[in-house]
Amino acid sequence: MNKKRILSGIQPTGIAHIGNYVGAIKNWVSLTERYDCLFFIADLHAMTIEYEPSAYFEGILTTARTLIACGLTPDRCTLFAQSHVPGHTDLAWIFNCLTPLGDLERMTQFKDKADQHRENINAGLLTYPALMAADILLYKAEVVPVGDDQVQHLELTRRTARRFNNRFGDTFPEPMWELSITPRILGTDGQAKMSKSLNNYIGILEPAETIWEKLRTAATDPQRIRKKDPGDPDLCNLFTIHKSFTPPELLPQIARQCRGAEIGCIECKKMLHENMMKELGPIQERAAALEKKPDEVLEVLKTGAQRCEKIAAGVMDEVRKKTGLR
Ligand code: TYM
């Protein structure tokens, strides 16, 4: 029986952080057994904000190394860079012509990014979700594992598939998003979503000491002011992170000890740091080893793009015929 196809992507700006890891990447690895998995580096999406061209390609390679080191190896999935498969932009143009301007202007991410980058509110920032719909539908992916900040884009992707099918005949599935157990991680400030641009992140590849320093000073349950106050794990971002790194059978005990003020935040953070490093340590070692083998990483991306181009060519052929271009 053919496996269902899933697809997801990550932008190559800066280093991947543990929000990316527990919200998406770790989930991607766990899905590789059940699905035909395509994962990509969204290098075209990341051009919508200001960037340094001379460092851009290195960022793409670092992201590829990180993903492979996390377990997205070529025997488990297809990994590629978005710009290596021209079908993404071909289909995005067709979707641009189907997407009402109002739908794009309503996107929370567009409003947030336009607010953060007032000096560079470019058209790509606005039409970003049409490219994202193309990324997914170019492969007729049925499931898209993401963090909860991407759900609005997935809703638009479903509407795009429906619009295309109504206008040109049944072609695309309406893909569903799939969230991890921790779909939204706040930053170390405990205020905003952990993100590269807000500098409130813990990087997957950061040294253990840097990670400890960031955890040590990270915000916890905002209602726990003094050490002896009972905490509420349900309000604590660090307890959410625990859920992803600490063995599940230990979580009720940590929650109980926190509620009863039997352990303070520092003890809780130490346990978290230890469990995080058990998982991140080997990833960091594999990433360091891959840094010495850039050709191997390039080969993974090249082979991935070759496979994707074949799938994309079939779908684009169908799209061109149905839309009247051929
Ligand atoms: P990006 O690069 O911002 O993030 C990659 C993945 O990490 C998740 N994520 C988080 N999850 C939990 N807590 C957080 N603080 C957190 N920050 C990020 C994101 O939800 C995402 O799943 N638009 C996408 C890239 C993309 C894409 C696609 C994804 C382009 N085309 C097609 C899926 C399908 C983005 O900017 O992700």
Side-chain angles (χ1 to χ4, degrees):
M1 204 179 71
N2 275 350
K3 285 181 178 173
K4 267 193 191 178
R5 182 168 295 147
I6 71 169
L7 167 139
S8 202
I10 180 167
Q11 296 196 50
T13 28
I15 46 174
H17 53 69
I18 60 157
N20 299 130
Y21 182 69
V22 306
I25 302 168
K26 188 169 171 168
N27 201 21
W28 299 354
V29 177
S30 75
L31 294 167
T32 53
E33 303 221 330
R34 269 192 290 144
Y35 295 104
D36 170 20
C37 292
L38 308 182
F39 298 117
F40 70 97
I41 298 160
D43 51 358
L44 296 170
H45 275 106
M47 295 174 89
T48 53
I49 50 172
E50 199 52 46
Y51 68 95
E52 173 49 47
S54 63
Y56 202 60
F57 191 63
E58 191 45 44
I60 295 170
L61 289 183
T62 306
T63 308
R65 277 200 298 273
T66 310
L67 294 178
I68 298 170
C70 286
L72 298 171
T73 46
D75 54 322
R76 291 204 179 125
C77 65
T78 301
L79 183 66
F80 66 104
Q82 184 186 28
S83 70
H84 296 182
V85 185
H88 290 249
T89 41
D90 290 353
L91 188 57
W93 178 256
I94 293 172
F95 288 167
N96 270 334
C97 300
L98 277 177
T99 311
L101 192 54
D103 279 18
L104 297 171
E105 284 168 343
R106 265 196 297 280
M107 291 286 128
T108 315
Q109 189 165 307
F110 169 66
K111 288 192 248 177
D112 288 350
K113 291 244 167 108
D115 222 31
Q116 282 168 24
H117 305 276
R118 282 169 193 272
E119 71 300 339
N120 182 20
I121 307 179
N122 59 75
L125 210 51
L126 180 70
T127 60
Y128 184 114
L131 178 58
M132 192 159 152
D135 298 334
I136 298 164
L137 298 176
L138 184 61
Y139 305 101
K140 299 194 177 182
E142 292 175 76
V143 180
V144 185
V146 284
D148 77 352
D149 59 338
Q150 299 298 318
V151 167
Q152 199 186 27
H153 287 156
L154 263 295
E155 285 167 346
L156 190 123
T157 300
R158 287 169 62 83
R159 284 202 297 283
T160 306
R162 213 171 308 145
R163 271 193 203 106
F164 188 99
N165 293 345
N166 284 340
R167 175 111 193 263
F168 302 112
D170 212 19
T171 309
F172 295 115
E174 287 186 31
M176 264 318 288
W177 56 89
E178 179 158 324
L179 300 178
S180 75
I181 52 162
T182 46
R184 185 181 177 82
I185 298 293
L186 299 181
T188 46
D189 52 5
Q191 306 279 323
K193 188 190 78 163
M194 183 176 286
S195 90
K196 296 158 195 170
S197 53
L198 295 177
N199 203 17
N200 62 359
Y201 66 86
I202 296 175
I204 299 176
L205 300 185
E206 288 190 298
E209 309 75 61
T210 312
I211 295 185
W212 169 245
E213 209 34 46
K214 289 188 178 184
L215 276 181
R216 192 182 66 77
T217 51
T220 53
D221 164 10
Q223 289 174 15
R224 186 174 200 177
I225 314 281
R226 287 172 305 269
K227 190 169 176 243
K228 294 222 163 350
D229 290 343
D232 184 349
D234 293 333
L235 298 179
C236 182
N237 186 42
L238 293 191
F239 189 70
T240 310
I241 302 176
H242 256 300
K243 286 183 191 160
S244 203
F245 287 104
T246 297
E249 63 277 13
L250 299 181
L251 293 172
Q253 186 189 338
I254 296 173
R256 208 178 42 248
Q257 289 176 322
C258 169
R259 285 206 176 90
E262 289 166 44
I263 54 168
C265 292
I266 281 290
E267 282 118 300
C268 182
K269 287 172 171 181
K270 278 189 187 148
M271 282 188 262
L272 175 59
H273 184 250
E274 199 176 305
N275 292 329
M276 275 174 84
M277 291 322 297
K278 271 190 202 143
E279 196 162 324
L280 297 184
I283 292 175
Q284 296 183 349
E285 280 168 26
R286 286 194 291 270
L290 284 167
E291 202 170 349
K292 300 196 185 92
K293 299 186 256 180
D295 291 347
E296 207 173 285
V297 175
L298 284 171
E299 191 54 36
V300 170
L301 295 180
K302 190 171 151 202
T303 316
Q306 280 165 350
R307 171 171 184 233
C308 288
E309 262 191 68
K310 282 199 198 109
I311 307 171
V315 176
M316 281 313 292
D317 202 41
E318 185 183 354
V319 165
R320 289 192 186 101
K321 283 184 186 135
K322 286 189 169 157
T323 51
L325 287 167
R326 295 278 191 284

